[in-house]
Amino acid sequence: MAVGGGIGAGNGKQYEGRVTPFVIVACLVAATGGLIFGYDIGISGGVTSMDEFLQKFFPTVYEKQKNATGHESQYCKFENHMLTLFTSSLYLAALVASFFASATTRKFGRKISMTVGGMIFLVGSVLNGAAMNVAMLIIGRILLGVGIGYANQSVPVYLSEMAPPKLRGALNIGFQMATTIGIFAANLVNYGTAQMKANGWRVSLALAALPALIMTIGALFLPDTPNSLIERGKKDQAKEMLQKIRGTPNVHDEFSDLVDASAVSQQVRHPWRTILEPKYRPQLVITCLIPLFQQLTGINVIMFYAPVLFKTLGFADDASLMSAVVTGLVNVFATAVSIVVVDRFGRRVLFLEGGIQMLACQIGVGVLIASVFGVSGNGTFSKGMGNLALALICVYVAAFAWSWGPLGWLVPSEIHPMEIRSAGQSINVSVNMFFTFVIGQLFLSMLCHMKFGLFFFFGGWVLLMTVFVYFFVPETKNMPIEEMNRVWKAHWFWGSTFQMMLWVLATRAVTMMLDCN
């Protein structure tokens, strides 16, 4: 067996059924939950680069820009902790909300969590659009974060449970596709509202209500998943739903597996304690590291600080917003590529190719910025150099969009058995949101102090995560979600006694260190 491999296509049970229009429509509607996440990522950077917004809420940043003499470091022109708190406070709220969403999803079903998330996000968008001071602005952001925490916890699980195994990757990536469409739409909105003479930033922030309405209304009409119905004791409804989404009455084998999985799940009273047991160690490690690595690619600092980043690199106001539109469009098309190929080539191929491509681009951007701005931060991009920087960033965004972007949500959502699925997805969301918060809060300061070295910093992490995937992430394509345990048993590391020995040694080492202290 190849290193890092595992059970591939065709090695799990083959259930009867076909891909029905009903399940496609249900998954597309559920995937709109990604719109609120994407719109917020895209809108934040554009708004924080608008003069009227900065003048009203962050006057020190505005004065710093307007009073520039041309000799200040380009790296530090946007450094302000309150400004980054506006952007990143949302992700801290999403982290906390994801734990409450886990209980809601488990007890009341996936669609209820989606509905609750959409309604809370709607209230936050109204509050942000009407904000009169920084406190009101950040309270609105916190409510947006709660909505995103609920949506990001429930939508990927819903998609993984509804989709047939052979299309689970493509349908699950619908969530990431909606996220990229949200980012692109936000970039277009920012470009349009920047031309307004007054209150353009209010329009940008208030329009977040539109994707929230789409998600909330859509969730009201969604069916619940067979897995969730069984989990809540509604077996007859679950069997009818399974027959409907598979397009055949012959669902006995799959239904029996779901019932068996639910029986095991019902014996678990404390999923948060259960997920720490040794037999779930592979899922726990993957669920913690993949969202961590996804953020350490550096993508979100490019996506929600894109206009600010391009202004830092010397682009004019309109040019910086248009450059963000271009990267957003690349993001959409590259995500579409992943939908087409993920169930054909598998998760590992996309992870590895995307990692190599991102690493090359990070190094290229770092070298380019170093050659123009050096350590001092003084310099100006020529038109040719600016276009080259934009091209490298677009190639980088494309690599992320068909690899770590969608797979960072897909893989953690499909690897957990039912008894720990809600807890596992909450860990995935909370780790993702925590490190989005940390990097979002620190990015402008890191850019100021690390300068062009920041791109080499992220490049180093991309190298590490690519090596990790090669050795430790098995292939999961075409494997029925309730049969995923076979993947871990067949893996060269996770299925061996060697990893158990390593964990025992590591645990003893930590215990000895604590005893010494």
Side-chain angles (χ1 to χ4, degrees):
M1 184 185 300
V3 171
I7 294 178
N11 289 336
K13 285 186 181 179
Q14 299 299 309
Y15 299 129
E16 291 192 43
R18 57 188 175 84
V19 180
T20 62
F22 179 80
V23 77
I24 297 291
V25 171
C27 287
L28 288 176
V29 172
T32 59
L35 288 174
I36 64 172
F37 188 36
Y39 187 87
D40 183 80
I41 290 173
I43 215 70
S44 302
V47 166
T48 53
S49 71
M50 293 181 185
D51 287 346
E52 185 188 7
F53 177 82
L54 292 175
Q55 195 172 14
K56 182 174 181 62
F57 296 107
F58 305 100
T60 55
V61 177
Y62 176 78
E63 292 298 326
K64 194 178 191 180
Q65 280 192 76
K66 294 306 172 185
N67 296 331
T69 61
H71 299 290
E72 294 84 358
S73 171
Q74 294 282 3
Y75 298 120
C76 301
K77 62 195 293 186
F78 283 95
E79 186 186 19
N80 182 281
H81 290 296
M82 282 302 293
L83 180 62
T84 53
L85 182 62
F86 161 75
T87 300
S88 57
S89 58
L90 177 149
Y91 301 99
L92 197 58
L95 184 162
V96 176
S98 68
F99 293 105
F100 293 96
S102 172
T104 305
T105 300
R106 185 177 171 91
K107 187 171 183 179
F108 300 106
R110 287 54 167 150
K111 65 174 288 182
I112 294 297
S113 281
M114 286 186 261
T115 306
V116 170
M119 292 174 66
I120 295 174
F121 190 93
L122 181 61
V123 174
S125 64
V126 172
L127 200 59
N128 265 182
M132 300 303 295
N133 51 54
V134 174
M136 194 172 173
L137 201 64
I138 291 183
I139 290 171
R141 292 287 293 172
I142 289 172
L143 290 175
L144 295 180
V146 173
I148 286 175
Y150 267 81
N152 286 14
Q153 197 281 337
S154 54
V155 173
V157 171
Y158 183 94
L159 294 171
S160 288
E161 291 181 345
M162 286 292 279
K166 64 182 179 181
L167 275 183
R168 188 175 61 245
L171 292 177
N172 193 290
I173 289 175
F175 173 76
Q176 180 67 13
M177 186 69 184
T179 301
T180 62
I181 291 172
I183 292 171
F184 179 60
N187 290 336
L188 288 175
V189 168
N190 280 334
Y191 186 75
T193 57
Q195 317 304 318
M196 296 172 63
K197 293 183 179 180
N199 293 320
W201 63 270
R202 288 192 187 276
V203 175
S204 288
L205 294 178
L207 279 177
L210 185 57
L213 280 172
I214 293 172
M215 173 186 166
T216 305
I217 294 172
L220 290 174
F221 293 96
L222 283 175
D224 227 330
T225 69
N227 312 60
S228 178
L229 291 169
I230 292 171
E231 196 172 26
R232 290 178 287 136
K234 301 178 180 180
K235 293 184 180 180
D236 291 338
Q237 289 178 242
K239 190 167 187 177
E240 289 177 12
M241 182 54 60
L242 189 60
Q243 290 169 337
K244 193 171 184 179
I245 65 177
R246 297 296 181 251
T248 176
N250 301 319
V251 295
H252 177 75
D253 288 346
E254 185 172 4
F255 184 72
S256 295
D257 284 344
L258 292 180
V259 171
D260 290 344
S262 179
V264 174
S265 174
Q266 295 302 321
Q267 296 173 14
V268 175
R269 295 182 178 274
H270 305 287
W272 292 101
R273 189 183 303 165
T274 302
I275 201 171
L276 299 176
E277 293 177 3
K279 66 178 179 178
Y280 300 118
R281 188 172 292 130
Q283 292 95 328
L284 181 61
V285 171
I286 298 293
T287 300
C288 289
L289 289 184
I290 283 187
L292 164 63
F293 286 149
Q294 188 191 53
Q295 294 312 307
L296 289 172
T297 60
I299 187 63
N300 273 346
V301 299
I302 287 180
M303 297 316 295
F304 58 60
Y305 284 124
V308 170
L309 180 62
F310 286 123
K311 283 183 78 171
T312 297
L313 298 180
F315 288 68
D317 290 358
D318 285 354
S320 68
L321 287 169
M322 181 50 71
S323 298
V325 171
V326 172
T327 57
L329 189 60
V330 169
N331 198 16
V332 171
F333 281 111
T335 302
V337 171
S338 71
I339 291 176
V340 174
V341 302
V342 68
D343 290 312
R344 180 178 302 176
F345 299 120
R347 286 63 162 152
R348 281 171 51 79
V349 169
L350 293 181
F351 266 136
L352 297 173
E353 190 284 331
I356 293 169
Q357 188 172 323
M358 284 192 294
L359 176 59
C361 292
Q362 292 278 26
I363 293 172
V365 171
V367 169
L368 190 63
I369 293 176
S371 68
V372 175
F373 297 109
V375 176
S376 67
N378 296 319
T380 306
F381 265 154
S382 66
K383 184 176 180 180
M385 293 288 266
N387 289 337
L388 178 58
L390 177 59
L392 284 171
I393 288 175
C394 283
V395 175
Y396 163 81
V397 168
F400 176 85
W402 61 52
S403 61
W404 280 91
L407 299 181
W409 294 104
L410 167 61
V411 173
S413 73
E414 68 182 359
I415 62 175
H416 297 98
M418 189 183 292
E419 63 267 23
I420 59 165
R421 190 167 298 149
S422 291
Q425 184 62 14
S426 289
I427 291 173
N428 179 35
V429 173
S430 61
V431 172
N432 190 299
M433 294 300 144
F434 176 73
F435 284 98
T436 303
F437 168 78
V438 169
I439 293 173
Q441 187 66 23
L442 297 180
F443 169 66
L444 294 178
S445 293
M446 291 170 71
L447 180 62
C448 180
H449 294 96
M450 296 178 70
K451 304 174 173 54
F452 60 84
L454 179 61
F455 294 91
F456 299 137
F457 169 79
F458 286 125
W461 281 105
V462 170
L463 176 61
L464 178 63
M465 65 187 72
T466 303
V467 172
F468 174 80
V469 166
Y470 181 77
F471 286 106
F472 300 111
V473 178
E475 184 55 70
T476 56
K477 72 170 182 175
N478 294 347
M479 177 61 63
I481 194 167
E482 303 302 348
E483 291 285 303
M484 199 63 70
N485 191 47
R486 297 179 61 184
V487 168
W488 308 109
K489 290 180 179 178
H491 190 268
W492 75 274
F493 179 74
W494 301 116
S496 70
T497 55
F498 176 64
Q499 64 96 5
M500 294 293 293
M501 293 171 59
L502 285 179
W503 281 105
V504 170
L505 290 173
T507 303
R508 287 181 178 176
V510 171
T511 303
M512 290 174 63
M513 290 172 62
L514 292 174
D515 289 342
C516 289
N517 292 331

